[in-house]
Every structure is written in structure tokens, then in C-alpha cells.
């Protein structure tokens, strides 16, 4: 656990965007900002890009969305929008970069404080593992959704600097090995056996030696194979969202055959995807495997439903987006044409944007309820 004193950041929930309504929201003309790959690649030589802010200030950035913002040229090819309306101005980009640099500068200075005082006393292999854990933690929480909250920008700069320093330390240590300790040199001299005395002691103490107990075999714990994602967002809203699959008019607009015919079937579906915790049990958890045969035309809508669920649930529980994509790949035949889960994740934003238009156009009751839920997604800017 790191960054306990970092404002705008919670060590469990991550970046705090509660004040997002007070500040502008940024996005690319190519769509909303999406997180980087969840798994960090430790084999990359140097996964950072240097940004020159001035003659005396430069930063190394790996977060893809911040790179888009800081590298954006407002006068030539402006690709960053403010509140989905106007292109970002160069002065505002500089203002955000200055805030980011302030956090970046402090993060550089506080690296050893963040990684812990015991780090320097660890052995080489322990240091490597500690750095891998630290780097993974930084990478997981380094995600700019688009909320230009000053505290958020500052926190992202702080975490980015921590990631750069952690990677630097790890790069310097990863190819080193512990030196084997040389065996002590023992000089052997002739040993002369002294004659035994004629007088033997009256009593010889014989110590009983008990055999050391055999160590018990280590206990092996099997990994949890549960693929369900825990939901903390109100289950009733998630249910209303996924009931869009029951909307006949929506299916007609998408030109796909209707697959689900009752709310119980939707609950059964949700029971195969998500588990509930400390809230009304709207559906029962199901461990039975079932592969839904659905037309490829369902890709857009399924991406929307899963992406919206991910965004809503993230405000309560941080689960990587790739886990939601894994559910799409393993449960719906619509995604058979995708070779990897990463391909689904990369195409998710475009597909869900297409589906939003279909949901908005439908006058069906289920689609209307789903659209109300979509309006609650923090990063979605929808028409009324």
C-alpha cells in the first residue's frame, strides 16, 4: 500500500474524481480516454516519452491519455476537446502541465519514502520483487479518464514520477545476481593424539539425543477459479441496464434476432457474470457454464453494457477493464472472431458509442430505463 498522504488519491480505490462536476472534462476527437494495458511489461527497454515543458523542465510520461493532452498542438491539429464541445486552448494545456509537473517533481523527491524505509535493507532478490510490486501498483492506478480536477492531475504527476523512479531502480538491479559467499579458508595442521589417562572418571554423563521432528509438508492452496466480478454498484441499476437486451425495438434497430425473452433470463445471465456483496440479492450466483449463441451484431450492445457496468462499478471497486472483457470473450459467441481479449478492449469504446445511439433511438420501455442508467456513467456525455 502506497501514497497514503497523496491528496486526490485513495490507496484502495485509486484516483478520487468525486469533484469532477466542478471542472472541465477532456476527451480525444477519437473517443473517450481508455486505460492502458492492465499487465505491465517489465521487458520494455524504456516505456516513457520525454515531454519538454520548458528549457529547464522536462517529464517522462507513459500514461497514453496524458501523452495525447501534453503533445496536442492546438494551432495545427487539435485533437483534444473540452466538455465535448470546444477544442482545448494552449494556455489551458500549459496550466494542466504545470500542475502535473508539481506532482511529478514531488514524486521524484519522495520515492524512497513511498517505497518504504526497509527497502534499502532488503536483499537483492527482495528488492527486485518490491520494485515489481511498486511498479505494478503505480501502473494500475496511473489512468487519466479525462477529469481535469487539479488534485487529480497533481496525483497523476506524483504517481507517474514514482513509476519512472521505480523503473529506473529496477532496470539497474534486474540483471544483477547475489555474490556467492566464498568458503572460509581453513589451515590444516598435524594433529597429535595425546595418550588417554589411566584414571577413568567415576561417572560419565550420557546425553540423550532425540531425533529432530520431520517438517510437515507445505499446504498447497488452489487458486480461486471464480470468474465472477464482484459488484458494489446497486444491483437494481445494473439489472435495468442489462434489460436492454429484452427491448424488441432496439433489436430491430440493430437488425439482430431477439435472444432473451424474460427478466428471469437476464437475472440468470447476470448470475453467470457478476456476484453481489452486502446488497439486495437480485439474482442468484451461477457456476454453471453456458455459452450464449448471439449474432455478431450484438457486439456493440454487449460492449456498451459491459463498459457501462465497468465504469459504474469502478466508483466503488477497482477491477481492471480487461476482466470485464474476459467475460465477453468467454460467454458470448458474438466475440468468436476476436483472437484476444485485448482486441475487445481496444475496440470497446467505438462499439459502445455506436450502441448508445441505438439505445437512444429506441422508444421501448427497457431501452429507456437502460438509457437513464447510462446517464449516470461519469464519463458518458449523453443527449437528454
Amino acid at each position: 500500500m502506497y501514497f497514503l498522504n497523496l491528496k486526490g488519491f485513495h490507496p484502495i480505490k485509486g484516483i478520487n474524481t468525486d469533484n469532477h462536476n466542478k471542472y472541465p472534462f477532456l476527451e480525444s476527437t477519437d473517443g473517450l480516454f481508455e486505460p492502458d494495458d492492465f499487465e505491465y511489461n517489465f521487458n520494455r527497454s524504456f516505456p516513457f516519452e520525454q515531454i519538454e515543458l520548458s528549457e529547464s523542465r522536462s517529464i517522462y510520461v507513459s500514461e497514453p491519455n496524458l501523452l495525447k493532452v501534453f503533445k496536442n498542438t492546438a494551432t495545427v491539429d487539435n485533437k483534444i476537446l473540452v466538455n465535448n464541445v470546444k477544442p482545448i486552448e494552449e494556455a489551458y494545456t500549459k496550466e494542466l502541465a504545470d500542475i502535473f509537473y508539481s506532482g511529478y517533481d514531488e514524486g521524484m523527491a519522495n520515492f524512497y519514502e513511498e517505497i518504504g524505509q526497509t527497502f534499502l535493507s532488503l536483499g537483492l532478490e527482495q528488492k527486485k520483487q518490491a520494485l515489481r510490486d511498486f511498479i505494478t501498483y503505480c501502473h494500475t492506478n496511473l489512468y487519466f479518464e479525462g477529469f481535469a480536477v487539479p488534485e487529480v492531475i497533481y496525483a497523476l504527476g506524483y504517481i507517474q514520477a514514482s513509476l519512472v523512479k521505480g523503473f529506473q531502480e529496477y532496470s539497474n538491479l534486474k540483471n544483477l545476481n547475489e555474490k556467492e559467499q566464498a568458503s572460509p579458508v581453513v589451515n590444516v595442521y598435524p594433529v597429535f593424539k595425546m595418550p588417554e589417562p589411566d584414571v577413568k572418571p567415576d561417572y560419565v554423563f550420557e546425553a540423550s539425543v532425540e531425533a529432530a521432528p520431520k517438517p510437515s509438508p507445505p499446504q498447497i492452496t488452489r487458486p480461486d477459479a471464480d470468474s465472477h466480478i464482484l459488484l458494489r454498484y446497486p444491483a437494481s441499476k445494473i439489472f435495468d441496464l442489462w434489460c436492454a437486451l429484452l427491448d424488441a425495438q432496439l433489436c430491430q434497430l440493430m437488425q439482430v434476432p431477439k435472444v432473451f425473452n424474460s427478466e428471469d433470463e437476464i437475472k440468470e445471465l447476470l448470475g453467470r457474470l457478476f456476484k453481489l456483496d452486502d446488497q439486495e440479492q437480485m439474482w442468484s450466483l451461477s457456476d454453471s457454464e453456458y455459452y450464449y449463441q448471439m449474432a455478431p451484431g450484438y457486439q456493440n450492445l454487449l460492449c456498451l453494457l459491459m463498459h457501462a457496468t465497468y465504469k459504474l462499478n469502478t466508483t466503488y471497486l477497482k477491477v481492471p477493464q480487461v476482466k470485464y472483457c474476459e467475460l465477453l470473450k468467454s460467454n458470448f459467441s458474438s466475440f468468436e472472431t476476436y483472437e484476444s481479449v485485448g482486441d475487445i478492449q481496444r475496440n470497446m469504446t467505438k462499439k459502445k458509442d455506436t450502441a448508445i445511439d441505438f439505445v437512444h433511438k429506441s422508444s421501448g420501455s427497457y431501452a429507456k430505463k437502460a438509457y437513464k442508467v447510462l446517464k449516470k456513467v461519469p464519463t458518458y456525455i449523453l443527449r437528454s
Side-chain angles (χ1 to χ4, degrees), residues 85-145:
V85 178
K86 62 176 183 177
I88 192 171
E89 296 179 357
E90 189 171 345
Y92 187 49
T93 302
K94 184 179 182 301
E95 178 184 338
L96 295 177
D98 288 341
I99 298 173
F100 184 87
Y101 181 81
S102 298
Y104 185 91
D105 190 47
E106 186 173 356
M108 281 287 182
N110 293 348
F111 171 72
Y112 288 106
E113 178 182 333
E114 291 295 350
I115 201 169
Q117 296 179 353
T118 59
F119 174 76
L120 295 176
S121 63
L122 298 176
L124 179 59
E125 293 304 320
Q126 290 176 314
K127 282 182 178 177
K128 291 180 185 179
Q129 185 58 53
L131 287 168
R132 283 193 291 266
D133 293 341
F134 183 73
I135 290 170
T136 300
Y137 184 86
C138 292
H139 175 71
T140 302
N141 289 285
L142 187 62
Y143 169 35
F144 178 56
E145 291 185 84

Side-chain angles (χ1 to χ4, degrees), residues 240-281:
D240 287 344
L241 176 67
W242 283 78
C243 276
L245 292 167
L246 296 174
D247 196 277
Q249 187 177 358
L250 178 59
C251 292
Q252 289 177 357
L253 290 170
M254 297 189 302
Q255 297 181 353
V256 293
K258 193 162 173 278
V259 175
F260 297 90
N261 298 299
S262 69
E263 294 185 358
D264 287 339
E265 290 181 2
I266 298 299
K267 290 180 180 179
E268 186 178 347
L269 165 64
L270 293 174
R272 290 191 169 97
L273 304 177
F274 309 110
K275 55 186 176 182
L276 304 176
D277 181 33
D278 298 333
Q279 59 174 304
E280 180 186 357
Q281 301 296 308

Side-chain angles (χ1 to χ4, degrees), residues 354-371:
T354 302
I356 287 176
D357 291 335
F358 283 124
V359 176
H360 183 256
K361 290 177 182 177
S362 175
S363 58
S365 58
Y366 285 117
K368 287 182 177 180
K369 282 186 178 181
Y371 198 75

